[in-house]
Amino acid sequence: MSDSFCKNYRSTQTILEISSQVIRHNPEPLATGQRLATYSNRTGDRKIQVLEMQSENAEAVAIGKTIEKMVGGIGFLSLDSGSVDVSDDSLNFGFSDFAVLFRTRNQAVPILKILEKAGIPCQVVDRRSVLDHLGLKSLLSIVKLMHGLGGYADIEAALKVMRPKLSSHLIKSLKRWAYQNQLCVEQAFIQTRRRLPIPPMGLSKQQQLYDFIHQIDILKNRLATCSLTDQIEYLSEKLGITEKFNDDIFFEKGFQQIVESAKGLFPKDVADFLATVALCRDTDTYDHRVEKVSLMTLHAAKGLEFPVVFISGCEDEWIPYRSENRSSDVQEERRLFYVALTRAKRYLFLSWAKNRRIHGKPRSRHVSPFIEDIDMIYKTNFGHDFKKAPQSQHKQLSLF
């Protein structure tokens, strides 16, 4: 099979070559029977760096130390996972030149904490809507129910953070009865408030539903004269949502977006507010003009480019991603990794941790098979199990 060539004006030739080695395993020729190949006039360094660290914290510290040295040193406090020595004095980057990519949102947490502790400014970017966050979705569902705009899905979302709990069977019975009688949620609530019988339910179940609606009514009456901003902040505190997601950077960021959208609005404006929030996406906050390191998922990086890119968590089960409840689409995951690699214009770092806490439990990890697809001649490996690589005429950075 011959190749069709096109010029890439972004990345160095080395980055294009290793990206091609990754994607070549996907059977995706063009309609002409040729595979598209890319080339670049930007030669750059002939190696990338693969960082093997002992833990997710050590990985984050290594990323931070490398950024620190490439912007000229900003003082990394007392953090230490091994010395990172960037000897190229010609490097002169700003924080906005760096991006740290990861496969899942939760991977950002240790990286963000350690970089910010070191005084490295960061912005977190993601393509998901604020409505995708459990805590924020529950909060907004309660606002909808208070103002008579909720649906049956909002009852289920509200119950994630409210008392008393209602069983899924009770909610199904309510929905079935309401649909049969062509009642929206607010009309079904009115029937319940009047203590009118709901045939599918016994008295005890109907009392539970009444108690839930009564809690909504109490909140509504208490906040009737408050601005939407005050309502949202009160609900989040009163219902323990803020406390529950205290260490969740994505909740904090999304909550700030919601509060900002509610500024200057009152209950009569709630429909407009909800329409605005439905369009809120984290990428709306990405600002290439600010001097901050960008932290984002591989998906969110599409269409962006940076002089220096770290792809963290390059471990099997993340790259390619798979879980007990989800099998891996290896070809799609390979395409996603290819896109991530080609976000780098000049320097590329691939990092992984031998041990990592997953859902609160320590787990041994293995390097991503996609990294193993890259020929050794392109890789300089550093870490606990690697000896220092021999000096090369084309050196990107040197660790230790």
Side-chain angles (χ1 to χ4, degrees):
M1 180 184 294
S2 61
D3 287 341
S4 178
F5 294 91
C6 71
K7 187 173 182 179
N8 178 294
Y9 293 91
R10 176 177 61 245
S11 304
T12 65
Q13 183 63 26
T14 299
I15 292 171
L16 295 182
E17 288 173 10
I18 69 166
S19 302
S20 297
Q21 289 191 344
V22 169
I23 200 64
R24 69 185 176 186
H25 295 277
N26 276 13
E28 295 177 329
L30 299 176
T32 59
Q34 298 176 318
R35 181 183 292 278
L36 186 65
T38 54
Y39 70 96
S40 173
N41 288 337
R42 304 182 65 181
T43 54
D45 298 313
R46 293 303 296 163
K47 287 182 178 289
I48 64 166
Q49 291 192 355
V50 179
L51 312 180
E52 177 195 315
M53 309 309 294
Q54 283 293 334
S55 68
E56 65 265 36
N57 286 340
E59 178 189 39
V61 170
I63 291 171
K65 283 181 174 289
T66 306
I67 293 173
E68 174 194 62
K69 296 295 289 187
M70 294 180 79
V71 296
I74 59 171
F76 209 85
L77 305 178
S78 60
L79 296 173
D80 185 20
S81 69
S83 175
V84 178
D85 176 26
V86 183
S87 58
D88 187 348
D89 294 332
S90 67
L91 299 179
N92 184 23
F93 294 106
F95 291 119
S96 61
D97 293 321
F98 296 85
V100 183
L101 312 185
F102 34 81
R103 183 61 180 84
T104 66
R105 290 161 64 96
N106 290 339
Q107 291 172 251
V109 175
I111 297 172
L112 181 63
K113 284 183 177 180
I114 285 177
L115 294 190
E116 288 190 335
K117 183 178 180 181
I120 297 176
C122 300
Q123 61 174 334
V124 181
V125 183
D126 198 354
R127 290 191 182 275
R128 302 211 312 182
S129 165
V130 296
L131 298 178
D132 292 326
H133 191 286
L134 173 63
L136 298 173
K137 185 176 182 179
S138 296
L139 177 60
L140 291 171
S141 289
I142 296 168
V143 172
K144 291 181 186 179
L145 292 171
M146 283 172 45
H147 293 278
L149 299 174
Y152 292 98
D154 291 305
I155 298 176
E156 298 180 79
L159 287 168
K160 302 289 186 183
V161 295
M162 286 189 68
R163 297 286 188 273
K165 296 293 186 182
L166 303 180
S167 68
S168 58
H169 177 71
L170 188 155
I171 296 172
K172 288 179 182 177
S173 297
L174 174 66
K175 289 169 64 175
R176 190 182 308 112
W177 169 76
Y179 289 155
Q180 289 172 351
N181 291 275
Q182 298 182 336
L183 301 175
C184 67
V185 167
E186 183 59 22
Q187 291 169 327
F189 279 11
I190 291 172
Q191 295 280 71
T192 305
R193 290 187 189 101
R194 292 174 178 172
R195 302 283 190 169
L196 296 176
I198 300 176
M201 294 185 198
L203 290 177
S204 63
K205 295 294 184 185
Q206 195 161 338
Q207 181 63 44
Q208 291 176 25
L209 178 60
Y210 176 85
D211 291 341
F212 171 75
I213 296 171
H214 185 58
Q215 290 298 315
I216 296 290
D217 291 340
I218 289 174
L219 293 170
K220 179 179 179 180
N221 294 332
R222 183 170 295 168
L223 300 171
T225 59
C226 297
S227 68
L228 281 179
T229 300
D230 289 341
Q231 288 188 10
I232 290 164
E233 291 178 341
Y234 176 87
L235 290 171
S236 188
E237 289 290 338
K238 179 69 174 178
L239 300 174
I241 300 174
T242 301
E243 182 180 0
K244 182 176 181 179
F245 298 100
N246 182 47
D247 293 326
D248 189 325
I249 58 175
F250 298 104
F251 173 82
E252 180 182 348
K253 187 176 176 217
F255 185 78
Q256 290 173 352
Q257 281 186 279
I258 290 173
V259 169
E260 188 66 29
S261 299
K263 279 187 177 178
L265 300 180
F266 285 84
K268 64 181 179 65
D269 307 308
V270 69
D272 292 337
F273 160 71
L274 292 170
T276 300
V277 169
L279 297 176
C280 282
R281 293 193 175 272
D282 292 339
T283 40
D284 292 342
T285 65
Y286 173 68
D287 190 349
H288 67 277
R289 298 167 299 179
V290 299
E291 276 300 313
K292 294 184 177 181
V293 176
S294 295
L295 275 59
M296 65 186 73
T297 63
L298 303 190
H299 285 98
K302 292 179 180 178
L304 302 175
E305 57 187 54
F306 301 88
V308 186
V309 169
F310 297 83
I311 303 180
S312 63
C314 291
E315 299 152 22
D316 195 18
E317 296 184 4
W318 273 349
I319 299 177
Y321 182 82
R322 68 177 184 275
S323 67
E324 294 179 357
N325 302 320
R326 175 179 167 183
S327 59
S328 178
D329 182 343
V330 176
Q331 290 189 22
E332 180 58 32
E333 291 291 317
R334 196 183 295 278
R335 281 190 289 269
L336 182 61
F337 188 57
Y338 171 83
V339 169
L341 293 172
T342 55
R343 298 310 90 197
K345 297 169 67 175
R346 183 174 175 188
Y347 294 111
L348 178 62
F349 299 83
L350 308 179
S351 65
W352 68 286
K354 295 179 66 177
N355 302 282
R356 190 182 294 272
R357 296 190 73 84
I358 307 292
H359 303 304
K361 298 180 180 179
R363 293 271 304 277
S364 296
R365 307 288 280 175
H366 303 281
V367 68
S368 166
F370 292 170
I371 290 184
E372 296 179 339
D373 289 337
I374 301 170
D375 287 346
M376 284 300 299
I377 60 171
Y378 291 103
K379 295 185 289 190
T380 301
N381 296 313
F382 290 101
H384 179 75
D385 292 336
F386 293 118
K387 295 180 179 179
K388 186 171 182 178
Q391 296 293 326
S392 169
Q393 181 179 358
H394 301 281
K395 180 176 60 177
Q396 180 183 9
L397 297 171
S398 60
L399 304 181
F400 313 109

